[in-house]
Amino acid sequence: RRRQLCLQPFISVNYDPAYFGAGTKLTVLDPDIKVKPPTVKILEPSKKECKDKKGKKKKTLVCVASDFYPDHVSVSWTHNFQNITDDEFQVSTDAAATAAAKKDGKNYKITSRLMVPIKDWVKPNINFTCTVSFFNGTNNIKENKTFTTKGIDNPGMTRESYIKITQNAKISYTVLILKSCLYAALVCLLVWKLQGKRGKQTK
């Protein structure tokens, strides 16, 4: 069987790679495995996460690219569709794609983590986009996934608890209004009775 040769000008790890010069990679593709672009998704942070190892308040978004072959990929992030270069946003990406055991063949996956400062996390409509560039042997294909913040007033409060508190506040406010109306009606009734008694006494 003939095997397809795949050249790509950046370093990654594959099953049987060879490197030439400064970063040019030669990969012998397995003819029994179909070239397949990655499936990309963004995982939201745990509800319990609030600080990093240094004690700074942050939330971590995890970008997962999986089920692709070969392993010619690179991962990048943008903040409101602008490249992230500020040290304020810490990015941690796997050094290379790792083999993922699949029953239907040998595929790969790679993950990248973006640590978002809490001051950006609590603001609504802030966009964080993970872009995975995949080289299929001919062209670079880009897969994008965007996460948009919902905005939370209290950094230590989850969205679910925030909604629950506001709903309870609305119910309490409604009950308070009903009680006030009932109290006003009782006062009016009492005043009306007192006025009636005074009228009878004057007669």
Side-chain angles (χ1 to χ4, degrees), residues 4 6-7 35 134-141:
Q4 182 181 354
C6 181
L7 285 170
V35 173
F134 172 74
F135 185 68
N136 62 6
T138 305
N139 301 307
N140 277 311
I141 301 173

Side-chain angles (χ1 to χ4, degrees), residues 6-26:
C6 181
L7 285 170
Q8 187 187 23
F10 64 82
I11 295 176
S12 59
V13 175
N14 202 354
Y15 183 70
D16 48 2
Y19 300 97
F20 300 90
T24 300
K25 174 184 173 181
L26 171 66

Side-chain angles (χ1 to χ4, degrees), residues 50-52 54-59 115-119 121 154-156:
C50 60
K51 294 182 180 180
D52 61 7
K54 296 181 180 179
K56 295 182 179 180
K57 292 184 177 181
K58 292 181 180 291
K59 291 287 187 179
M115 299 189 73
V116 181
I118 203 70
K119 66 180 181 63
W121 183 261
N154 187 345

Side-chain angles (χ1 to χ4, degrees), residues 118-174:
I118 203 70
K119 66 180 181 63
D120 292 287
W121 183 261
V122 298
K123 297 177 183 177
N125 302 319
I126 303 297
N127 296 301
F128 296 99
T129 302
C130 173
T131 300
V132 178
S133 180
F134 172 74
F135 185 68
N136 62 6
T138 305
N139 301 307
N140 277 311
I141 301 173
K142 291 187 177 182
E143 296 285 343
N144 300 310
K145 282 293 178 181
T146 298
F147 175 85
T148 303
T149 59
K150 302 173 181 65
I152 303 174
D153 290 339
N154 187 345
M157 186 186 304
T158 63
R159 179 174 175 80
E160 289 77 11
S161 61
Y162 175 77
I163 293 174
K164 186 177 180 180
I165 289 173
T166 54
Q167 288 177 342
N168 290 337
K170 289 179 181 179
I171 293 173
S172 299
Y173 183 69
T174 302

